[in-house]
């Protein structure tokens, strides 16, 4: 099978859908000839034209609202936000409007839209362009939250997000855009709420999201050389969350390490850890659940400091060994 | 004033000030050209937004300020920073991620602030600084501090809600703030013609009951005069003004911009309006300095930037020991 990048996978999923469904359109800043801040929509305006690949002014609140309003009235918009940090400007529209309209209206109307946006650190863009704010979104009833870690997952999950009848926040990661994996040319869908076991193992379960899946896999590989078999679970979607796969894995291994890039305090890892603690897996735990996440600090500019602010492969290895009381 | 023959310049702008301004414009240009060069070599990382071609609006607007006055700046803020009196050594050190940088290596290009000199900071969020400027003006008003805040923003930023909300507030409270729109024709790839349906961003002033003027932003004298008038008005308690400086960003938006949204001819036309060249011609014509003196000022500016690179290179890297410092006061 051919390999394509995560960025191409996202573009391909959108293009396939737009060819089929005239109600689907994209809106966002610089998504036309510029091709989007990270090049994801490159070439799309040539194929679909400026009516369906709509360049917007720099007005996140207005464009989120326009997406929501058009979704409510029969379109299926995809909103590209240049950096996930700018969701703060669209917050009223996403949190007080998109997430709540259907419920408040007693089930009348729906908001089938996808807000795609790159999150995470690693490019030196510093504190206002490097955050991981997914826990905010996951907290809000009415929103779904997706975090693909591979090109394959990105394509299939975006298809599911576009088919979904609800507002979905689709977090891409800047550093994953150029990573490749095998991706079928044909259309396929990965259901929201279905975790993926990225590596099987019997000793410790790591639940990792987005770019941390890759760091967890690297850590797992090195730990295997020391005879430690790690299972790596990628929930892929935070809302809905595949509780079953996580609980089953921890029942098997008896140990859990939860990793994400976002600041640990108030992060989604707390949710996963509590889920494990509240489940039948609790009785199987041989060690306390470990959570690793970003330090409680805005992402600094200096590259060494930037790296130090978020979990590393070494941090993950260390946590695994701690749960095994091997440090 | 008659510092320039045939031109009026604001009170307080004497010959020496004009000479200093000329040098300052070169300092801004050389700084950003150097950043461009080091970025291409991979010696500066992250992202940078250069203001080459826009020197007149930064230097001209800040020229009429008093030391106590304040500014808020944008992601394209190196020029504003220099014009408000920043030390280029500390700026370059910041871009190199050094401990001696303005933000101890934690902020980088987009977040340089020099609060002591009245620079309340560049901003990575488009439109993010506009309400902050209003707050700064509110302090001046409430504490009767008699300082004015200049608020720099781009044409693109004027489409953000924060712009409209901030202008309304500044206007109803008659705050001492001057909104300076550097209309460089583009917000990233979106041309101002495509993204607004009005001739001048300054026309938006009328919605908020304040004056608005659009000037040739490549003519530093025009910028100085219009900003001076707005600052005087603000200081006298008559409230805010929008000054729109029409200019052009010579370089791409940031790294990796293929500039497919505009033509070479357009770029060439604007380059012929080089604000530094125009100012030099004016100063020679008015006998403020000679061609040789102009050359000398230019090379002094160039040397200062070379020195700033040395300073940056010789400074210690930001230390991981300080990673968690400064999150809280
Ligand atoms: C809220 C927000 N939206 C989008 C961006 C991405 N972005 C950074 S600069 C820029 C263009 C800003 O244009 P303008 O205000 O005209 O300033 P200029 O770059 O022309 O100086 C964009 C879209 C951002 N940093 N913040």
């Amino acid at each position: 099978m051919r390999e394509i990048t995560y960025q191409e996978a996202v573009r391909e999923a959108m293009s396939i859908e737009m060819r089929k469904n005239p109600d689907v359109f994209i809106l966002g800043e610089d998504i036309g000839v510029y091709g989007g801040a990270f090049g994801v929509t490159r070439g799309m305006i040539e194929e679909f034209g400026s009516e369906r690949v709509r360049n917007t002014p720099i007005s996140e609140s207005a464009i989120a609202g326009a997406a929501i309003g058009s979704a409510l009235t029969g379109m299926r918009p995809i909103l590209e936000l240049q950096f996930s940090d700018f969701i703060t400007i669209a917050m009223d529209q996403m949190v007080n409007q998109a997430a709540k309209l259907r419920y408040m209206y007693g089930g009348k109307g729906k908001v089938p839209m996808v807000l795609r946006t790159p999150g995470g650190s690693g490019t030196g863009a510093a504190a206002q362009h490097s955050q991981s704010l997914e826990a905010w979104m996951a907290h809000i009833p009415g929103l779904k939250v997706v975090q693909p870690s591979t090109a394959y997952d990105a394509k299939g999950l975006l298809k599911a997000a576009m088919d979904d009848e609800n507002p979905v926040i689709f977090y891409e990661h800047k550093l994953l855009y150029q990573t490749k994996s095998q991706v079928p040319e044909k259309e396929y869908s990965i259901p929201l709420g279905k975790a993926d076991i990225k590596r099987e193992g019997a000793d410790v379960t790591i639940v990792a999201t987005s770019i941390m899946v890759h760091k967890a896999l690297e850590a797992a590989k090195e730990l295997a050389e020391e005879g430690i078999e790690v299972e790596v679970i990628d929930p892929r979607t935070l809302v809905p969350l595949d509780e079953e796969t996580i609980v089953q894995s921890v029942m098997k291994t008896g140990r859990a390490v939860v990793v994400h890039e976002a600041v640990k305090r108030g992060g989604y890892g707390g949710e996963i850890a509590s889920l494990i603690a509240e489940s039948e897996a609790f009785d199987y735990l041989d060690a306390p659940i470990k959570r690793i996440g970003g330090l409680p600090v805005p992402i600094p500019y200096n590259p060494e400091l930037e790296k130090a602010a978020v979990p590393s492969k070494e941090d993950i290895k260390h946590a695994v060994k701690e749960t095994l009381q091997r440090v | 004033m008659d510092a320039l023959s045939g031109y009026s310049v604001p009170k307080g702008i004497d010959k020496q000030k004009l000479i200093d301004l000329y040098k300052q414009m070169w300092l801004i240009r050389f700084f950003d050209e150097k950043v461009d060069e080091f970025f291409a070599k991979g010696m500066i990382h992250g992202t940078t937004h250069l203001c080459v071609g826009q020197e007149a609006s930064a230097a001209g607007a800040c020229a009429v300020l008093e030391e106590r006055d304040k500014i808020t700046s944008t992601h394209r803020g190196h020029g504003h920073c220099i014009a408000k009196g920043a030390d280029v050594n500390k700026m370059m050190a910041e871009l190199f991620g050094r401990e001696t940088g303005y933000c101890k290596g934690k902020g980088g290009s987009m977040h340089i602030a020099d609060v002591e000199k009245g620079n309340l900071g560049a901003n990575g969020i488009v439109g993010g600084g506009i309400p902050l400027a209003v707050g700064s003006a509110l302090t001046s008003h409430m504490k009767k501090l008699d300082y004015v805040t200049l608020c720099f923003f781009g044409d693109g930023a004027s489409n953000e809600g924060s712009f409209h909300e901030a202008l309304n507030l500044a206007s109803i409270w008659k705050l001492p703030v001057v909104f300076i729109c550097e209309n460089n024709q583009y917000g990233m790839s979106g041309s101002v013609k495509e993204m607004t349906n009005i001739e001048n961003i300054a026309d938006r002033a009328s919605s908020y009951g304040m004056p608005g003027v659009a000037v040739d932003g490549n003519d530093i004298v025009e910028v100085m005069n219009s900003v001076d008038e707005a600052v005087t008005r603000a200081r006298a308690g008559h409230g805010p003004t929008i000054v729109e400086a029409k200019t052009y960003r010579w370089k791409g938006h940031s790294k990796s911009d293929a500039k497919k949204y505009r033509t070479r001819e357009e770029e060439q036309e604007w380059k012929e309006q080089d604000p530094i060249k125009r100012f030099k011609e004016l100063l020679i014509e008015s006998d403020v300095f000679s061609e040789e003196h102009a050359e000398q000022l230019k090379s002094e500016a160039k040397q200062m930037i070379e020195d700033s690179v040395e300073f940056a290179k010789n400074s210690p890297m930001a230390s991981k020991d300080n990673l968690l410092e400064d999150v809280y006061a």
Side-chain angles (χ1 to χ4, degrees):
Chain A
M1 205 189 298
R2 76 202 168 121
E3 286 205 329
I4 60 171
T5 63
Y6 185 97
Q7 185 205 77
E8 287 163 333
V10 171
R11 183 187 311 132
E12 195 167 276
M14 290 192 289
S15 297
I16 293 175
E17 203 61 21
M18 285 178 74
R19 280 174 208 135
K20 280 192 337 209
N21 186 350
D23 293 342
V24 178
F25 71 102
I26 319 178
L27 69 170
E29 294 156 19
D30 306 287
I31 62 172
V33 287
Y34 198 93
F38 289 89
V40 177
T41 58
R42 205 168 281 151
M44 290 187 76
I45 195 168
E46 281 84 352
E47 178 176 355
F48 299 104
S50 58
E51 274 286 301
R52 295 183 71 202
V53 179
R54 296 184 85 90
N55 257 342
T56 66
I58 311 168
S59 330
E60 291 78 11
S61 171
I63 58 185
I68 297 163
S70 72
L72 193 60
T73 48
M75 300 298 286
R76 301 191 79 92
I78 303 167
L79 169 61
E80 175 173 304
L81 263 195
Q82 293 193 336
F83 286 82
S84 74
D85 313 67
F86 310 158
I87 208 162
T88 53
I89 301 173
M91 207 65 163
D92 168 60
Q93 292 296 325
M94 294 312 297
V95 173
N96 294 324
Q97 313 299 337
K100 304 199 165 53
L101 291 180
R102 179 177 171 81
Y103 187 80
M104 295 190 306
Y105 295 172
K108 296 194 183 73
K110 55 184 186 187
V111 182
M113 66 174 284
V114 183
L115 185 154
R116 292 182 32 244
T117 190
S121 66
T123 66
Q128 297 174 328
H129 286 71
S130 305
Q131 297 168 86
S132 302
L133 300 176
E134 63 275 5
W136 286 16
M137 296 295 135
H139 184 69
I140 306 298
L143 300 178
K144 296 191 178 181
V145 181
V146 181
Q147 277 194 300
S149 65
T150 66
Y152 177 85
D153 288 352
K155 183 172 171 184
L157 288 166
L158 184 52
K159 164 69 179 153
M162 291 185 294
D163 285 345
D164 203 278
E165 300 296 349
N166 300 285
V168 179
I169 316 287
F170 193 87
Y171 280 106
E172 295 158 20
H173 195 293
K174 310 173 178 86
L175 294 191
L176 292 179
Y177 277 132
Q178 298 311 324
T179 60
K180 287 190 171 182
S181 63
Q182 294 198 339
V183 178
E185 258 161 274
K186 66 165 185 19
E187 180 180 318
Y188 60 92
S189 180
I190 296 173
L192 306 185
K194 184 86 199 75
D196 188 32
I197 302 172
K198 291 273 191 273
R199 178 190 175 105
E200 296 203 23
D203 298 334
V204 180
T205 298
I206 299 182
V207 183
T209 57
S210 187
I211 196 157
M212 289 300 151
V213 172
H214 300 274
K215 291 200 180 171
L217 287 170
E218 284 168 34
K221 209 167 147 194
E222 292 182 16
L223 288 164
E225 287 161 23
E226 300 178 38
I228 301 169
E229 289 305 330
V230 173
E231 179 144 299
V232 179
I233 309 256
D234 175 2
R236 299 195 288 200
T237 65
L238 306 186
V239 182
L241 180 67
D242 181 351
E243 302 184 356
E244 165 112 25
T245 302
I246 296 169
V247 169
Q248 288 300 326
S249 174
V250 177
M251 284 168 68
K252 180 173 81 175
T253 63
R255 294 180 164 87
V257 173
V258 183
V259 200
H260 55 59
E261 179 175 335
V263 172
K264 177 173 157 185
R265 180 180 69 213
Y268 195 76
E271 184 62 29
I272 296 175
S274 311
L275 156 78
I276 296 166
E278 285 175 353
S279 75
E280 54 182 317
F282 181 76
D283 291 332
Y284 293 76
L285 284 174
D286 295 322
I289 304 162
K290 275 256 141 212
R291 268 191 306 152
I292 3 185
L295 297 177
V297 68
I299 299 292
Y301 165 73
N302 176 286
E304 291 307 315
L305 268 56
E306 184 182 29
K307 267 190 226 129
V310 300
S312 66
K313 179 186 71 187
E314 295 308 321
D315 296 332
I316 298 173
K317 283 171 69 176
H318 186 79
V320 166
K321 289 185 179 175
E322 270 184 332
T323 68
L324 288 160
Q325 280 109 40
R326 284 234 216 141
V327 277
Chain B
M1 272 296 289
D2 55 359
L4 292 179
S5 59
Y7 288 82
S8 65
V9 290
K11 208 159 119 256
I13 304 285
D14 56 16
K15 276 196 179 192
Q16 188 54 48
K17 179 79 186 175
L18 292 168
I19 290 169
D20 293 346
L21 280 173
Y22 178 74
K23 182 170 165 186
Q24 185 181 83
M25 285 169 92
W26 275 119
L27 205 54
I28 296 173
R29 174 148 318 167
F30 286 134
F31 186 88
D32 268 5
E33 282 182 346
K34 188 54 90 181
V35 171
D36 205 19
E37 179 190 325
F38 279 111
F39 203 90
K41 286 187 188 154
M43 294 178 66
I44 288 178
H45 87 142
T47 185
T48 55
H49 307 82
L50 309 177
C51 67
V52 175
Q54 302 181 197
E55 296 84 359
S57 51
C62 293
V64 299
L65 296 184
E66 307 282 342
E67 181 93 12
R68 68 180 180 285
D69 292 330
K70 304 196 189 300
I71 67 165
T72 62
S73 173
T74 70
H75 59 287
R76 201 175 302 287
H78 302 161
H80 311 147
C81 199
I82 292 172
K84 192 65 175 87
D87 175 349
V88 289
N89 288 355
K90 288 191 193 173
M91 287 175 67
M92 198 60 89
E94 184 57 34
L95 292 175
F96 276 69
R98 308 294 160 135
E99 200 64 55
T100 53
Y102 266 112
C103 323
K104 303 178 193 163
K106 291 172 175 172
S109 161
M110 263 192 296
H111 308 104
I112 295 178
D114 184 8
V115 177
E116 279 150 37
K117 284 262 166 60
N119 178 355
L120 304 181
N123 210 306
I125 301 298
V126 171
I130 310 176
L132 301 182
V134 173
S136 162
L138 181 61
T139 301
S140 177
H141 170 77
M142 293 181 79
K143 292 192 165 187
K144 304 198 172 24
L145 293 175
D146 191 40
Y147 70 76
V148 171
T149 304
L150 286 197
C151 170
F152 288 100
F153 61 97
D155 44 290
S158 78
N159 294 321
E160 286 280 13
S162 59
F163 165 83
H164 297 275
E165 296 178 28
L167 261 70
N168 191 52
L169 203 51
S171 172
I172 59 171
W173 289 347
K174 276 203 166 32
L175 298 178
V177 51
V178 178
F179 298 103
I180 309 219
C181 178
E182 292 183 296
N183 178 354
N184 61 12
Q185 314 303 321
Y186 292 92
M188 213 155 153
S189 70
S191 81
V192 67
K193 288 193 187 68
E194 255 179 274
M195 295 303 165
T196 65
N197 236 344
I198 46 174
E199 176 70 23
N200 301 308
I201 301 295
D203 295 347
R204 292 186 163 168
S206 67
S207 305
Y208 303 104
M210 65 175 79
V213 289
V215 301
D216 180 345
N218 283 358
D219 179 343
I220 188 171
V221 179
E222 251 195 56
V223 174
M224 277 192 287
N225 281 319
S226 53
V227 176
D228 185 55
E229 201 175 307
V231 166
T232 306
R233 188 173 176 272
R235 232 189 278 284
H238 300 312
T241 306
I242 302 183
V243 177
E244 175 184 2
K246 293 198 192 268
T247 180
Y248 200 74
R249 100 168 122 63
W250 287 14
K251 308 253 179 200
H253 167 71
S254 63
K255 61 173 177 178
S256 71
D257 174 358
K259 296 187 283 178
K260 277 197 273 181
Y261 49 85
R262 69 189 198 192
T263 62
R264 292 225 171 245
E265 290 73 54
E266 179 188 293
E267 289 179 1
Q268 201 44 47
E269 266 171 44
W270 277 96
K271 281 188 183 167
E272 281 158 24
Q273 295 298 316
D274 182 347
I276 305 188
K277 185 163 152 271
R278 283 172 65 181
F279 193 37
K280 179 175 112 175
E281 283 162 6
L282 181 65
L283 295 183
I284 288 177
E285 228 172 76
S286 307
D287 285 327
V288 172
F289 59 29
S290 63
E291 182 78 48
E292 295 74 53
H293 189 185
E295 273 309 302
Q296 186 203 326
L297 293 163
K298 180 178 167 183
S299 51
E300 282 169 16
K302 189 163 195 155
Q303 190 55 48
M304 281 174 77
I305 298 305
E306 295 297 337
D307 294 347
S308 77
V309 172
E310 281 313 301
F311 175 83
K313 282 185 181 163
N314 294 328
S315 292
M317 269 295 170
S319 161
K320 273 192 235 176
D321 296 343
N322 303 332
L323 176 59
L324 295 176
E325 213 174 67
D326 296 328
V327 177
Y328 298 100

